[in-house]
Amino acid sequence: MPNRRTYKIWLLTLVPDGRYGRCVIAALILGLGLGLFWLAVELAFRNMPATSYFDAWPTALFFVCMIAYIVPVFHFITQRTQQALTALLPYIENVEHPALMTSIDRQPLSWTLRVGSVGVLLWLVQSYVLAGSFTEMLDTLTRSFLSFLFVIGPLLVWVTMTTAMSALFRNALLFRRINEHLDVRIFEPDSYMPIGSMAVTSTLVVVGAFGLLSIMWLGGPVNWWTTLPAMFFFSPLLFALLLLPVLPIRKVLVQQRTEALEKAQAAIRQANSEDTGVAVGALANALSLRREVSRLPTWPFDVPAITRFVVYAVIVPLTWTGAALIEILVNAIVD
């Protein structure tokens, strides 16, 4: 059966080549997005007091920041995923390495269309709930340039987020399948640690996106339907990205450490049964071996990876708390 033609994922094509490509695209998206919203707000409120701006800018800023965040971060995660796979290649058996590498950043056109359709569908459902009817949705689209942007903004966010999450989920499943062909050696961290590092890095998209949700709350109370659908849909994916690639490795590492501990314990028993001076040295070596084996990890995470995940997990409550404090401060000043 011939291979289907694949294309580079469209989010990756937005990032220019070069050392600062991710910074450039983030700045361009921020500049273009905020410029369009500024123009729309000026047209909508040019004959109204400046306080009218406050109701519009937090949500607009959220839309722009989400896209400006997801595009470069997804590019960064994809690059790190390829680096992790490259590090694992010496330990992968009976698998076509080039095909693995290509599947990380390239997909068939049918995949792109399916994922885009899911994003559009999720946007339609959320928009319908917020508007109350499709007639109101269409009316909002044609009411003004600002209202048009406030309808298109969520659409772009949903499609961008759905594309990134779908690609990352496929990569998580890819690494899970790789585990079947991976020669894991508990005494060689290079044979399994890249998987844990990749899994932690993949959570950046979801954790960062959840943190950015607090931007909308800066303008005052927000309809929970603007945030609950995304949190409900993407929260399970956060745990899937973290656990799917590492759980099979965890099982292998536990088994290998148990076997190593049994061998060390057998060596200790054998040394204890001898009365010679040579046995004293063997006992010391066996005890040292047991101590070192007991310290071996049973999860493919090193200290930096665990630290990064803890930091990511703390980002969300800190940003929400910060948003609440800023809102309280602004209300106090205004009142």
Side-chain angles (χ1 to χ4, degrees), residues 176-192:
R176 186 179 179 87
R177 290 193 297 269
I178 287 175
N179 290 334
E180 301 174 1
H181 307 277
L182 189 62
D183 182 17
V184 178
R185 307 171 188 175
I186 193 169
F187 292 102
E188 296 185 29
D190 289 344
S191 67
Y192 56 87

Side-chain angles (χ1 to χ4, degrees), residues 20-34:
Y20 301 105
R22 289 190 285 265
C23 296
V24 170
I25 190 60
L28 287 175
I29 293 174
L30 282 172
L32 178 61
L34 292 178

Side-chain angles (χ1 to χ4, degrees), residues 139-152:
D139 182 62
T140 304
L141 273 172
T142 57
R143 187 177 302 158
S144 67
F145 183 43
L146 180 61
S147 63
F148 173 79
L149 291 180
F150 271 92
V151 173
I152 296 300

Side-chain angles (χ1 to χ4, degrees), residues 58-275:
T59 305
L61 182 62
F62 165 75
F63 295 151
V64 177
C65 287
M66 277 287 287
I67 300 174
Y69 172 80
I70 293 173
V71 172
V73 168
F74 175 69
H75 184 274
F76 169 77
I77 294 173
T78 302
Q79 191 175 73
R80 285 298 182 91
T81 302
Q82 291 176 323
Q83 292 173 358
L85 180 58
T86 300
L88 291 172
L89 288 181
Y91 304 96
I92 300 176
E93 303 172 346
N94 303 321
V95 175
E96 294 184 8
H97 296 169
L100 284 178
M101 193 66 67
T102 300
S103 64
I104 291 176
D105 63 355
R106 301 179 68 89
Q107 294 296 335
L109 180 60
S110 59
W111 176 88
T112 303
L113 295 176
R114 287 197 307 270
V115 170
S117 299
V118 171
V120 172
L121 178 62
L122 292 171
W123 165 75
L124 284 174
V125 172
Q126 183 187 37
S127 299
Y128 177 80
V129 172
L130 290 173
S133 66
F134 287 108
T135 302
E136 181 64 24
M137 287 174 55
L138 294 175
D139 182 62
T140 304
L141 273 172
T142 57
R143 187 177 302 158
S144 67
F145 183 43
L146 180 61
S147 63
F148 173 79
L149 291 180
F150 271 92
V151 173
I152 296 300
L155 172 61
L156 296 178
V157 171
W158 272 113
V159 172
T160 302
M161 188 70 172
T162 305
T163 301
M165 290 302 300
S166 298
L168 294 177
F169 185 72
R170 282 181 61 92
N171 290 340
L173 292 177
L174 171 67
F175 273 77
R176 186 179 179 87
R177 290 193 297 269
I178 287 175
N179 290 334
E180 301 174 1
H181 307 277
L182 189 62
D183 182 17
V184 178
R185 307 171 188 175
I186 193 169
F187 292 102
E188 296 185 29
D190 289 344
S191 67
Y192 56 87
M193 283 297 182
I195 291 182
S197 178
M198 180 278 302
V200 171
T201 304
S202 296
T203 64
L204 265 174
V205 166
V206 184
V207 175
F210 284 172
L212 290 174
L213 287 173
S214 60
I215 294 177
M216 286 193 294
W217 302 341
L218 296 177
V222 174
N223 188 331
W224 278 100
W225 282 106
T226 62
T227 56
L228 281 180
M231 297 178 68
F232 176 81
F233 186 76
F234 292 116
S235 291
L237 290 177
L238 170 65
F239 295 99
L241 292 177
L242 182 65
L243 296 178
L244 278 178
V246 304
L247 286 180
I249 295 295
R250 154 80 173 173
K251 183 177 180 180
V252 173
L253 291 177
V254 169
Q255 180 181 356
Q256 290 190 5
R257 192 176 76 164
T258 300
E259 293 173 354
L261 283 172
E262 291 175 351
K263 291 179 181 178
Q265 194 63 40
I268 292 173
R269 286 195 297 267
Q270 182 178 358
N272 273 331
S273 65
E274 302 290 340
D275 297 326

